[in-house]
Amino acid sequence: MKEAKNAEFLIVAGPGAKGLDDSAKDAAGLALALGAKPENALLLVLGEDPEKAAEMAAARFGLPVLALAGEGLHPAIGDAFAAALASTVLRVKPRFILLAHTISNMDVAPLLATKLKAACVTGVTGLEDGESGPIFLRPTASGKLLARISVNASCAVVTALPGGFPVPEKPSFPPGEIFREQAVTPGSRMRLLEELAPASADMGLSAADVVVAAGRGIGCTENLELIERLAALFPRSAVAGSRPVCDAGWLPANRQVGVTGATVTPKLYIACGISGVFQHVAGMIGSNLIVAINKDPGAPIFSVAHLGVVEDLTAFIPAFLEEAEKAGA
Amino acid sequence: MAADKAGFVQLHSSGFGVNIFVCLKMVKDADGKPVMDASGSYALEEALRQKDCLGARVTAFCLGPVEAGPVLIRALAMGADEARHIAFNGQVQPSGLVLARALACAVRMEPEKAGAFDLILCGAASEDNGSGRTGPMLAGLLDLSLAGCVVELSHYPQKGVVLVTREVESGRRLVLELDLPALLTIQTTTRQPRYPSLSNLLRANRATVPAIAFDSLPEVGPTETLLSEEAPCAVSRVEMLSGSTAEKAALLFKMLGDRGFL
């Protein structure tokens, strides 16, 4: 039986709700941007039943795929997942191990890097060419700064944020060969007891044409009234919030937009006092028209918005409401 | 999943009390003053809840420059029993494996009985660097079971397990059981970190926080180098409106009207 051979790039993916987890394209995109090709890359799909995901990956990315099946292989069971990865790494000897920056991989990537004594760079959004290798770009200071990081080790574990490295719709290579192996699953000191669906997402959010979202910039619950009055100007609208606003109890959790909340794609998204960290942006980047109101001109939200207003929302929203009143809206 | 409300100290299987270590970080606030990084404060709050319920002993660790002292004092003022400052003198704050190794050394320096911890709690990702690596790396170095982005935990020291709820994408929640000792990274939640009580504040201000010199710890070369950290060149599609507040409001109103929203 043919065995998966050495590869400079090892891409890690897993099964998801519809076969291959959607986040696989983030890891694959980063690998392709670094120079991955069928000759030097291997895409590893691990799980209890990785077959369908492996077939989808081979077709979607045109790279060789190793489907590694094993009982108890779930990215949330970080120790077993990292151990299964580590044993593949020892055989394949990659220079780069690429994963999507999912919440589970936030555990797995650094854990794996520690076991391998490899470098670890997380949440990468861009790349540059450097003298001795690639330079990884990642946002810091809640997205206000961009750090440039080089690696000083023979192996680096890198996680990619969504959207940084798009994969062409039509793969550049024909469907990859699929290798299949059984993982020797090590024991784990963790047990997954239950998976709970999210507390019911507010139906109003996903059906709304217009979402008006409040961030920490609203300052206090009293200013929520401004958000509500602004939303009331538009038909089929809903009020949403960033995580800090929901953590503070100013809005209920089912109004949260972001990675751990709802993903919305309304026709209009008005972000009020929202700084624009990636965790929030991930939940609204698909909106048709994004308007951002923030008193900080350096807020990262302005790099995703279509229309930007540098104003304190407590002054701007009343001015906007006054315009609406004048127009008889 | 409410934690047990024991009301008395539950003895860990080692016969010593329940021990929880918390890793904190110093960041600078808008005025440049040293403050406790927010993500770590949620981890500390969770540890203090364990102290309230189980009588756990809480020790806070912080690797930072000399000016990070207030972070440890704040930890004590919030109710931590002990604090340890790994004092760093250099230019670039250690991060990644260098930081995790220093924390691991500090943890191992704790006296034998007190060093038998049940849980290490860290923030999920700091406000400044936000790489989220420290907790998992520390778990790897100390060979602990690990769960990140925990929003709820129930600690059963006598059974040797901790039950956690991790919040993952789209708000799905995973309930996991981990063998102790475990390292958990704590996500921000509606349980806001507590304010210092007056009595703890007075006690904290009188406390001496033992310092461990970072330079005295075994050296390890960094596996990554930070080349630069600057505001990104704004290459974006945004059209910034200009004018007075009223002018911008009128302009935005017209633009949204033209697009059929109003």
Side-chain angles (χ1 to χ4, degrees), chain A residues 103 107 120 122 138 140-141 146 148 150 152 189 191 193-194 196 243 247 259 304 306 308 311, chain B residues 128 131 133 148 167 169-170 173 175 177 179 188 222-225 227-230 237 239 241:
Chain A
I103 290 171
D107 281 358
C120 183
T122 58
R138 60 178 301 273
T140 61
L146 192 65
R148 295 167 64 248
S150 68
N152 328 323
R189 285 175 300 182
R191 289 150 300 277
L193 301 185
E194 248 189 301
L196 302 172
R243 189 178 183 115
D247 280 344
V259 167
V304 299
H306 298 94
E311 281 283 334
Chain B
D128 51 0
S131 72
R133 297 171 300 170
E167 189 174 61
E169 281 74 10
S170 306
R173 297 173 155 219
V175 180
E177 183 184 75
D179 293 340
T188 63
T223 41
E224 307 88 25
T225 304
L227 300 174
S228 67
E229 193 172 11
E230 288 157 356
R237 58 192 174 191
E239 183 187 337
L241 305 193

mmCIF file of all heavy atoms in Angstrom, chain A residues 103 107 120 122 138 140-141 146 148 150 152 189 191 193-194 196 243 247 259 304 306 308 311, chain B residues 128 131 133 148 167 169-170 173 175 177 179 188 222-225 227-230 237 239 241:
data_model
loop_
_atom_site.group_PDB
_atom_site.id
_atom_site.type_symbol
_atom_site.label_atom_id
_atom_site.label_comp_id
_atom_site.label_asym_id
_atom_site.label_seq_id
_atom_site.Cartn_x
_atom_site.Cartn_y
_atom_site.Cartn_z
ATOM 1 N N ILE A 103 -11.408 27.774 17.381
ATOM 2 C CA ILE A 103 -11.260 27.763 18.840
ATOM 3 C C ILE A 103 -10.588 26.470 19.295
ATOM 4 O O ILE A 103 -9.715 26.493 20.170
ATOM 5 C CB ILE A 103 -12.622 28.036 19.505
ATOM 6 C CG1 ILE A 103 -12.999 29.497 19.247
ATOM 7 C CG2 ILE A 103 -12.574 27.736 20.990
ATOM 8 C CD1 ILE A 103 -14.397 29.877 19.637
ATOM 9 N N ASP A 107 -6.133 25.557 20.980
ATOM 10 C CA ASP A 107 -5.491 24.646 21.941
ATOM 11 C C ASP A 107 -4.471 23.758 21.229
ATOM 12 O O ASP A 107 -3.339 23.593 21.672
ATOM 13 C CB ASP A 107 -6.526 23.690 22.562
ATOM 14 C CG ASP A 107 -7.358 24.315 23.656
ATOM 15 O OD1 ASP A 107 -7.136 25.493 23.986
ATOM 16 O OD2 ASP A 107 -8.224 23.600 24.187
ATOM 17 N N CYS A 120 5.552 28.664 16.814
ATOM 18 C CA CYS A 120 4.090 28.714 16.758
ATOM 19 C C CYS A 120 3.644 30.143 16.510
ATOM 20 O O CYS A 120 3.951 31.032 17.311
ATOM 21 C CB CYS A 120 3.505 28.189 18.068
ATOM 22 S SG CYS A 120 1.712 28.135 18.078
ATOM 23 N N THR A 122 0.094 32.292 15.620
ATOM 24 C CA THR A 122 -1.349 32.080 15.534
ATOM 25 C C THR A 122 -2.072 33.285 14.954
ATOM 26 O O THR A 122 -1.614 34.409 15.064
ATOM 27 C CB THR A 122 -1.945 31.785 16.932
ATOM 28 O OG1 THR A 122 -1.648 32.883 17.793
ATOM 29 C CG2 THR A 122 -1.366 30.507 17.515
ATOM 30 N N ARG A 138 0.225 39.246 11.608
ATOM 31 C CA ARG A 138 -0.940 38.961 12.441
ATOM 32 C C ARG A 138 -1.384 40.216 13.184
ATOM 33 O O ARG A 138 -0.552 41.041 13.561
ATOM 34 C CB ARG A 138 -0.654 37.820 13.430
ATOM 35 C CG ARG A 138 0.475 38.067 14.391
ATOM 36 C CD ARG A 138 0.629 36.869 15.366
ATOM 37 N NE ARG A 138 -0.578 36.631 16.125
ATOM 38 C CZ ARG A 138 -0.882 37.220 17.279
ATOM 39 N NH1 ARG A 138 -0.062 38.063 17.833
ATOM 40 N NH2 ARG A 138 -2.036 36.921 17.883
ATOM 41 N N THR A 140 -2.531 42.575 16.189
ATOM 42 C CA THR A 140 -2.378 42.634 17.639
ATOM 43 C C THR A 140 -3.109 43.879 18.132
ATOM 44 O O THR A 140 -3.659 44.639 17.316
ATOM 45 C CB THR A 140 -0.890 42.718 18.057
ATOM 46 O OG1 THR A 140 -0.326 43.904 17.499
ATOM 47 C CG2 THR A 140 -0.116 41.503 17.579
ATOM 48 N N ALA A 141 -3.101 44.072 19.441
ATOM 49 C CA ALA A 141 -3.760 45.241 20.052
ATOM 50 C C ALA A 141 -5.187 45.356 19.535
ATOM 51 O O ALA A 141 -5.619 46.424 19.094
ATOM 52 C CB ALA A 141 -2.969 46.518 19.787
ATOM 53 N N LEU A 146 -0.375 45.713 13.383
ATOM 54 C CA LEU A 146 -0.067 44.515 12.619
ATOM 55 C C LEU A 146 1.367 44.124 12.954
ATOM 56 O O LEU A 146 2.294 44.930 12.804
ATOM 57 C CB LEU A 146 -0.193 44.804 11.111
ATOM 58 C CG LEU A 146 -0.189 43.585 10.192
ATOM 59 C CD1 LEU A 146 -1.410 42.706 10.439
ATOM 60 C CD2 LEU A 146 -0.168 44.048 8.729
ATOM 61 N N ARG A 148 4.758 41.745 12.494
ATOM 62 C CA ARG A 148 5.460 40.967 11.471
ATOM 63 C C ARG A 148 6.387 40.022 12.206
ATOM 64 O O ARG A 148 7.234 40.449 12.991
ATOM 65 C CB ARG A 148 6.214 41.894 10.529
ATOM 66 C CG ARG A 148 5.282 42.798 9.711
ATOM 67 C CD ARG A 148 6.003 43.922 8.998
ATOM 68 N NE ARG A 148 6.932 43.434 8.007
ATOM 69 C CZ ARG A 148 8.247 43.545 8.097
ATOM 70 N NH1 ARG A 148 8.807 44.129 9.134
ATOM 71 N NH2 ARG A 148 9.029 43.071 7.141
ATOM 72 N N SER A 150 8.963 36.562 12.178
ATOM 73 C CA SER A 150 9.733 35.546 11.468
ATOM 74 C C SER A 150 9.959 34.375 12.415
ATOM 75 O O SER A 150 9.824 34.499 13.627
ATOM 76 C CB SER A 150 11.072 36.112 10.990
ATOM 77 O OG SER A 150 11.897 36.387 12.105
ATOM 78 N N ASN A 152 12.245 31.143 13.925
ATOM 79 C CA ASN A 152 13.631 30.678 14.104
ATOM 80 C C ASN A 152 13.660 29.214 14.483
ATOM 81 O O ASN A 152 14.225 28.848 15.505
ATOM 82 C CB ASN A 152 14.358 31.424 15.241
ATOM 83 C CG ASN A 152 13.902 32.843 15.400
ATOM 84 O OD1 ASN A 152 13.625 33.516 14.424
ATOM 85 N ND2 ASN A 152 13.821 33.314 16.621
ATOM 86 N N ARG A 189 -6.870 12.241 28.453
ATOM 87 C CA ARG A 189 -7.295 12.569 29.813
ATOM 88 C C ARG A 189 -8.526 13.468 29.780
ATOM 89 O O ARG A 189 -8.819 14.170 30.736
ATOM 90 C CB ARG A 189 -6.139 13.233 30.563
ATOM 91 C CG ARG A 189 -5.077 12.200 30.954
ATOM 92 C CD ARG A 189 -3.879 12.829 31.579
ATOM 93 N NE ARG A 189 -3.258 13.768 30.672
ATOM 94 C CZ ARG A 189 -2.158 14.437 30.937
ATOM 95 N NH1 ARG A 189 -1.541 14.267 32.093
ATOM 96 N NH2 ARG A 189 -1.653 15.279 30.080
ATOM 97 N N ARG A 191 -12.736 13.692 28.168
ATOM 98 C CA ARG A 191 -13.847 12.964 27.558
ATOM 99 C C ARG A 191 -14.897 13.993 27.155
ATOM 100 O O ARG A 191 -15.291 14.838 27.957
ATOM 101 C CB ARG A 191 -14.443 11.952 28.562
ATOM 102 C CG ARG A 191 -13.490 10.783 28.802
ATOM 103 C CD ARG A 191 -13.568 10.133 30.158
ATOM 104 N NE ARG A 191 -13.302 10.986 31.297
ATOM 105 C CZ ARG A 191 -12.089 11.293 31.773
ATOM 106 N NH1 ARG A 191 -11.002 10.856 31.175
ATOM 107 N NH2 ARG A 191 -11.971 12.060 32.855
ATOM 108 N N LEU A 193 -18.428 14.886 26.727
ATOM 109 C CA LEU A 193 -19.675 14.326 27.261
ATOM 110 C C LEU A 193 -20.880 14.721 26.418
ATOM 111 O O LEU A 193 -21.798 13.929 26.230
ATOM 112 C CB LEU A 193 -19.887 14.804 28.715
ATOM 113 C CG LEU A 193 -18.783 14.439 29.703
ATOM 114 C CD1 LEU A 193 -19.183 14.874 31.119
ATOM 115 C CD2 LEU A 193 -18.499 12.949 29.699
ATOM 116 N N GLU A 194 -20.878 15.978 25.956
ATOM 117 C CA GLU A 194 -22.082 16.465 25.272
ATOM 118 C C GLU A 194 -21.725 17.600 24.342
ATOM 119 O O GLU A 194 -20.803 18.363 24.637
ATOM 120 C CB GLU A 194 -23.000 17.101 26.337
ATOM 121 C CG GLU A 194 -24.288 16.392 26.626
ATOM 122 C CD GLU A 194 -25.175 17.243 27.517
ATOM 123 O OE1 GLU A 194 -24.739 17.593 28.634
ATOM 124 O OE2 GLU A 194 -26.288 17.569 27.072
ATOM 125 N N LEU A 196 -23.717 20.844 22.881
ATOM 126 C CA LEU A 196 -24.983 21.552 23.032
ATOM 127 C C LEU A 196 -25.138 22.565 21.915
ATOM 128 O O LEU A 196 -24.205 23.309 21.629
ATOM 129 C CB LEU A 196 -25.015 22.290 24.385
ATOM 130 C CG LEU A 196 -24.819 21.418 25.620
ATOM 131 C CD1 LEU A 196 -24.667 22.298 26.859
ATOM 132 C CD2 LEU A 196 -25.995 20.477 25.815
ATOM 133 N N ARG A 243 -19.500 41.017 21.612
ATOM 134 C CA ARG A 243 -19.388 40.173 22.805
ATOM 135 C C ARG A 243 -19.269 40.957 24.112
ATOM 136 O O ARG A 243 -19.952 40.642 25.074
ATOM 137 C CB ARG A 243 -18.217 39.198 22.665
ATOM 138 C CG ARG A 243 -18.248 38.197 23.804
ATOM 139 C CD ARG A 243 -17.154 37.136 23.769
ATOM 140 N NE ARG A 243 -17.403 36.243 24.898
ATOM 141 C CZ ARG A 243 -17.739 34.964 24.804
ATOM 142 N NH1 ARG A 243 -17.824 34.389 23.622
ATOM 143 N NH2 ARG A 243 -17.977 34.254 25.891
ATOM 144 N N ASP A 247 -21.462 40.383 27.314
ATOM 145 C CA ASP A 247 -20.831 39.977 28.574
ATOM 146 C C ASP A 247 -21.225 40.932 29.694
ATOM 147 O O ASP A 247 -21.391 40.533 30.840
ATOM 148 C CB ASP A 247 -19.293 39.987 28.454
ATOM 149 C CG ASP A 247 -18.755 38.750 27.760
ATOM 150 O OD1 ASP A 247 -19.495 37.750 27.634
ATOM 151 O OD2 ASP A 247 -17.578 38.783 27.331
ATOM 152 N N VAL A 259 -17.781 35.389 16.151
ATOM 153 C CA VAL A 259 -17.355 33.997 16.045
ATOM 154 C C VAL A 259 -18.164 33.082 16.955
ATOM 155 O O VAL A 259 -18.622 32.017 16.549
ATOM 156 C CB VAL A 259 -15.851 33.864 16.388
ATOM 157 C CG1 VAL A 259 -15.460 32.412 16.587
ATOM 158 C CG2 VAL A 259 -15.013 34.476 15.295
ATOM 159 N N VAL A 304 -12.945 47.368 7.317
ATOM 160 C CA VAL A 304 -13.924 46.460 6.689
ATOM 161 C C VAL A 304 -15.190 47.191 6.264
ATOM 162 O O VAL A 304 -15.997 46.664 5.508
ATOM 163 C CB VAL A 304 -14.290 45.246 7.588
ATOM 164 C CG1 VAL A 304 -13.069 44.404 7.876
ATOM 165 C CG2 VAL A 304 -14.947 45.691 8.874
ATOM 166 N N HIS A 306 -17.768 49.974 4.495
ATOM 167 C CA HIS A 306 -17.888 50.647 3.200
ATOM 168 C C HIS A 306 -17.992 52.151 3.420
ATOM 169 O O HIS A 306 -17.447 52.934 2.657
ATOM 170 C CB HIS A 306 -19.144 50.164 2.454
ATOM 171 C CG HIS A 306 -19.120 48.706 2.135
ATOM 172 N ND1 HIS A 306 -19.699 47.756 2.945
ATOM 173 C CD2 HIS A 306 -18.555 48.031 1.098
ATOM 174 C CE1 HIS A 306 -19.516 46.548 2.402
ATOM 175 N NE2 HIS A 306 -18.831 46.690 1.294
ATOM 176 N N GLY A 308 -17.626 55.176 6.471
ATOM 177 C CA GLY A 308 -17.101 55.388 7.810
ATOM 178 C C GLY A 308 -17.401 56.773 8.342
ATOM 179 O O GLY A 308 -17.301 57.757 7.591
ATOM 180 N N GLU A 311 -17.003 59.694 14.663
ATOM 181 C CA GLU A 311 -17.829 60.514 15.549
ATOM 182 C C GLU A 311 -18.145 59.703 16.786
ATOM 183 O O GLU A 311 -18.224 58.482 16.738
ATOM 184 C CB GLU A 311 -19.174 60.843 14.872
ATOM 185 C CG GLU A 311 -19.113 61.958 13.845
ATOM 186 C CD GLU A 311 -19.053 63.334 14.478
ATOM 187 O OE1 GLU A 311 -19.536 63.498 15.618
ATOM 188 O OE2 GLU A 311 -18.509 64.244 13.833
ATOM 189 N N ASP B 128 -3.351 42.549 24.339
ATOM 190 C CA ASP B 128 -2.320 43.138 23.490
ATOM 191 C C ASP B 128 -1.889 42.160 22.402
ATOM 192 O O ASP B 128 -2.200 42.352 21.234
ATOM 193 C CB ASP B 128 -1.129 43.651 24.308
ATOM 194 C CG ASP B 128 -0.570 42.619 25.288
ATOM 195 O OD1 ASP B 128 -1.089 41.507 25.357
ATOM 196 O OD2 ASP B 128 0.395 42.958 25.982
ATOM 197 N N SER B 131 -2.341 36.086 21.172
ATOM 198 C CA SER B 131 -2.036 34.882 20.405
ATOM 199 C C SER B 131 -2.652 33.635 21.025
ATOM 200 O O SER B 131 -2.763 32.606 20.379
ATOM 201 C CB SER B 131 -0.530 34.690 20.273
ATOM 202 O OG SER B 131 0.032 34.302 21.515
ATOM 203 N N ARG B 133 -1.447 31.520 23.059
ATOM 204 C CA ARG B 133 -0.567 30.351 23.101
ATOM 205 C C ARG B 133 -0.136 29.950 24.500
ATOM 206 O O ARG B 133 0.185 28.788 24.759
ATOM 207 C CB ARG B 133 0.707 30.620 22.276
ATOM 208 C CG ARG B 133 0.483 30.850 20.798
ATOM 209 C CD ARG B 133 1.757 31.316 20.118
ATOM 210 N NE ARG B 133 2.246 32.561 20.683
ATOM 211 C CZ ARG B 133 3.425 33.094 20.409
ATOM 212 N NH1 ARG B 133 4.262 32.479 19.591
ATOM 213 N NH2 ARG B 133 3.783 34.234 20.973
ATOM 214 N N GLY B 148 -9.569 24.985 26.377
ATOM 215 C CA GLY B 148 -9.528 26.425 26.225
ATOM 216 C C GLY B 148 -10.906 27.016 25.985
ATOM 217 O O GLY B 148 -11.844 26.325 25.613
ATOM 218 N N GLU B 167 -17.048 27.174 24.891
ATOM 219 C CA GLU B 167 -17.899 27.789 23.888
ATOM 220 C C GLU B 167 -17.107 27.879 22.593
ATOM 221 O O GLU B 167 -16.047 28.503 22.569
ATOM 222 C CB GLU B 167 -18.338 29.183 24.337
ATOM 223 C CG GLU B 167 -19.401 29.779 23.435
ATOM 224 C CD GLU B 167 -19.921 31.082 23.993
ATOM 225 O OE1 GLU B 167 -19.115 32.018 24.132
ATOM 226 O OE2 GLU B 167 -21.123 31.153 24.315
ATOM 227 N N GLU B 169 -17.379 27.829 17.962
ATOM 228 C CA GLU B 169 -17.981 28.637 16.920
ATOM 229 C C GLU B 169 -19.509 28.599 16.952
ATOM 230 O O GLU B 169 -20.114 27.565 17.274
ATOM 231 C CB GLU B 169 -17.478 28.170 15.541
ATOM 232 C CG GLU B 169 -16.087 28.683 15.177
ATOM 233 C CD GLU B 169 -14.943 28.001 15.931
ATOM 234 O OE1 GLU B 169 -15.193 26.986 16.604
ATOM 235 O OE2 GLU B 169 -13.821 28.515 15.858
ATOM 236 N N SER B 170 -20.087 29.730 16.620
ATOM 237 C CA SER B 170 -21.545 29.895 16.540
ATOM 238 C C SER B 170 -22.234 29.703 17.875
ATOM 239 O O SER B 170 -23.442 29.509 17.914
ATOM 240 C CB SER B 170 -22.163 28.925 15.515
ATOM 241 O OG SER B 170 -21.536 29.076 14.277
ATOM 242 N N ARG B 173 -21.793 24.697 22.371
ATOM 243 C CA ARG B 173 -21.065 24.445 23.618
ATOM 244 C C ARG B 173 -20.708 22.977 23.727
ATOM 245 O O ARG B 173 -21.530 22.102 23.454
ATOM 246 C CB ARG B 173 -21.930 24.880 24.805
ATOM 247 C CG ARG B 173 -22.171 26.371 24.716
ATOM 248 C CD ARG B 173 -23.140 26.910 25.712
ATOM 249 N NE ARG B 173 -22.828 28.307 25.915
ATOM 250 C CZ ARG B 173 -22.864 28.949 27.067
ATOM 251 N NH1 ARG B 173 -23.229 28.333 28.161
ATOM 252 N NH2 ARG B 173 -22.549 30.222 27.133
ATOM 253 N N VAL B 175 -19.370 20.075 26.335
ATOM 254 C CA VAL B 175 -19.173 19.750 27.742
ATOM 255 C C VAL B 175 -18.141 18.632 27.819
ATOM 256 O O VAL B 175 -18.320 17.571 27.221
ATOM 257 C CB VAL B 175 -20.500 19.294 28.403
ATOM 258 C CG1 VAL B 175 -20.270 18.967 29.870
ATOM 259 C CG2 VAL B 175 -21.558 20.371 28.254
ATOM 260 N N GLU B 177 -15.137 16.440 30.297
ATOM 261 C CA GLU B 177 -14.631 16.081 31.617
ATOM 262 C C GLU B 177 -13.125 15.900 31.479
ATOM 263 O O GLU B 177 -12.672 15.155 30.609
ATOM 264 C CB GLU B 177 -15.293 14.791 32.087
ATOM 265 C CG GLU B 177 -14.884 14.385 33.494
ATOM 266 C CD GLU B 177 -15.479 13.041 33.881
ATOM 267 O OE1 GLU B 177 -14.966 12.016 33.377
ATOM 268 O OE2 GLU B 177 -16.432 13.029 34.666
ATOM 269 N N ASP B 179 -9.349 15.040 33.432
ATOM 270 C CA ASP B 179 -8.672 14.557 34.633
ATOM 271 C C ASP B 179 -7.848 15.697 35.209
ATOM 272 O O ASP B 179 -7.236 16.475 34.480
ATOM 273 C CB ASP B 179 -7.723 13.398 34.285
ATOM 274 C CG ASP B 179 -8.478 12.162 33.821
ATOM 275 O OD1 ASP B 179 -9.680 12.054 34.120
ATOM 276 O OD2 ASP B 179 -7.848 11.320 33.149
ATOM 277 N N THR B 188 -14.126 35.302 28.320
ATOM 278 C CA THR B 188 -14.881 36.374 28.980
ATOM 279 C C THR B 188 -16.347 35.963 29.022
ATOM 280 O O THR B 188 -16.848 35.331 28.097
ATOM 281 C CB THR B 188 -14.768 37.701 28.204
ATOM 282 O OG1 THR B 188 -15.365 37.537 26.911
ATOM 283 C CG2 THR B 188 -13.323 38.099 28.034
ATOM 284 N N PRO B 222 14.220 32.152 21.711
ATOM 285 C CA PRO B 222 12.854 32.290 21.197
ATOM 286 C C PRO B 222 12.725 31.603 19.840
ATOM 287 O O PRO B 222 13.659 31.602 19.040
ATOM 288 C CB PRO B 222 12.669 33.804 21.049
ATOM 289 C CG PRO B 222 14.035 34.360 20.955
ATOM 290 C CD PRO B 222 14.955 33.420 21.661
ATOM 291 N N THR B 223 11.548 31.021 19.618
ATOM 292 C CA THR B 223 11.316 30.324 18.355
ATOM 293 C C THR B 223 10.716 31.245 17.301
ATOM 294 O O THR B 223 10.605 30.881 16.148
ATOM 295 C CB THR B 223 10.390 29.115 18.556
ATOM 296 O OG1 THR B 223 9.341 29.488 19.450
ATOM 297 C CG2 THR B 223 11.143 27.939 19.145
ATOM 298 N N GLU B 224 10.294 32.451 17.714
ATOM 299 C CA GLU B 224 9.813 33.436 16.737
ATOM 300 C C GLU B 224 10.472 34.772 17.059
ATOM 301 O O GLU B 224 10.854 35.020 18.188
ATOM 302 C CB GLU B 224 8.294 33.642 16.828
ATOM 303 C CG GLU B 224 7.440 32.372 16.759
ATOM 304 C CD GLU B 224 7.241 31.755 18.115
ATOM 305 O OE1 GLU B 224 7.319 32.473 19.128
ATOM 306 O OE2 GLU B 224 7.029 30.528 18.180
ATOM 307 N N THR B 225 10.572 35.634 16.056
ATOM 308 C CA THR B 225 11.091 36.981 16.276
ATOM 309 C C THR B 225 10.061 37.982 15.804
ATOM 310 O O THR B 225 9.553 37.882 14.678
ATOM 311 C CB THR B 225 12.393 37.200 15.473
ATOM 312 O OG1 THR B 225 13.324 36.198 15.843
ATOM 313 C CG2 THR B 225 12.983 38.582 15.759
ATOM 314 N N LEU B 227 9.449 41.222 14.258
ATOM 315 C CA LEU B 227 10.258 42.150 13.455
ATOM 316 C C LEU B 227 9.761 43.577 13.587
ATOM 317 O O LEU B 227 10.534 44.521 13.618
ATOM 318 C CB LEU B 227 10.224 41.728 11.979
ATOM 319 C CG LEU B 227 10.764 40.323 11.704
ATOM 320 C CD1 LEU B 227 10.538 39.954 10.241
ATOM 321 C CD2 LEU B 227 12.233 40.232 12.049
ATOM 322 N N SER B 228 8.434 43.744 13.609
ATOM 323 C CA SER B 228 7.873 45.084 13.775
ATOM 324 C C SER B 228 6.421 44.949 14.182
ATOM 325 O O SER B 228 5.817 43.882 14.029
ATOM 326 C CB SER B 228 7.970 45.882 12.475
ATOM 327 O OG SER B 228 7.121 45.318 11.491
ATOM 328 N N GLU B 229 5.872 46.018 14.727
ATOM 329 C CA GLU B 229 4.468 46.022 15.146
ATOM 330 C C GLU B 229 3.981 47.446 14.973
ATOM 331 O O GLU B 229 4.291 48.317 15.781
ATOM 332 C CB GLU B 229 4.376 45.580 16.608
ATOM 333 C CG GLU B 229 2.968 45.251 17.055
ATOM 334 C CD GLU B 229 2.937 44.635 18.438
ATOM 335 O OE1 GLU B 229 3.971 44.645 19.131
ATOM 336 O OE2 GLU B 229 1.859 44.153 18.843
ATOM 337 N N GLU B 230 3.250 47.680 13.904
ATOM 338 C CA GLU B 230 2.834 49.045 13.576
ATOM 339 C C GLU B 230 1.403 49.052 13.109
ATOM 340 O O GLU B 230 0.870 48.027 12.717
ATOM 341 C CB GLU B 230 3.697 49.584 12.432
ATOM 342 C CG GLU B 230 5.107 49.902 12.827
ATOM 343 C CD GLU B 230 6.048 49.894 11.627
ATOM 344 O OE1 GLU B 230 5.598 49.575 10.511
ATOM 345 O OE2 GLU B 230 7.226 50.197 11.835
ATOM 346 N N ARG B 237 -11.616 49.697 1.505
ATOM 347 C CA ARG B 237 -12.614 50.213 0.572
ATOM 348 C C ARG B 237 -13.425 51.350 1.182
ATOM 349 O O ARG B 237 -14.296 51.882 0.549
ATOM 350 C CB ARG B 237 -13.565 49.075 0.214
ATOM 351 C CG ARG B 237 -14.230 48.508 1.456
ATOM 352 C CD ARG B 237 -14.938 47.218 1.173
ATOM 353 N NE ARG B 237 -15.432 46.632 2.417
ATOM 354 C CZ ARG B 237 -15.902 45.402 2.503
ATOM 355 N NH1 ARG B 237 -15.942 44.622 1.454
ATOM 356 N NH2 ARG B 237 -16.340 44.933 3.667
ATOM 357 N N GLU B 239 -15.241 54.575 2.469
ATOM 358 C CA GLU B 239 -15.383 55.974 2.121
ATOM 359 C C GLU B 239 -15.679 56.684 3.430
ATOM 360 O O GLU B 239 -16.707 56.421 4.067
ATOM 361 C CB GLU B 239 -16.555 56.152 1.140
ATOM 362 C CG GLU B 239 -16.732 57.593 0.672
ATOM 363 C CD GLU B 239 -17.995 57.788 -0.167
ATOM 364 O OE1 GLU B 239 -18.486 56.795 -0.751
ATOM 365 O OE2 GLU B 239 -18.489 58.927 -0.231
ATOM 366 N N LEU B 241 -16.793 59.703 5.606
ATOM 367 C CA LEU B 241 -17.568 60.936 5.432
ATOM 368 C C LEU B 241 -16.875 62.070 6.164
ATOM 369 O O LEU B 241 -16.220 61.864 7.178
ATOM 370 C CB LEU B 241 -18.991 60.749 5.989
ATOM 371 C CG LEU B 241 -19.799 59.569 5.435
ATOM 372 C CD1 LEU B 241 -21.255 59.688 5.833
ATOM 373 C CD2 LEU B 241 -19.662 59.443 3.946
#
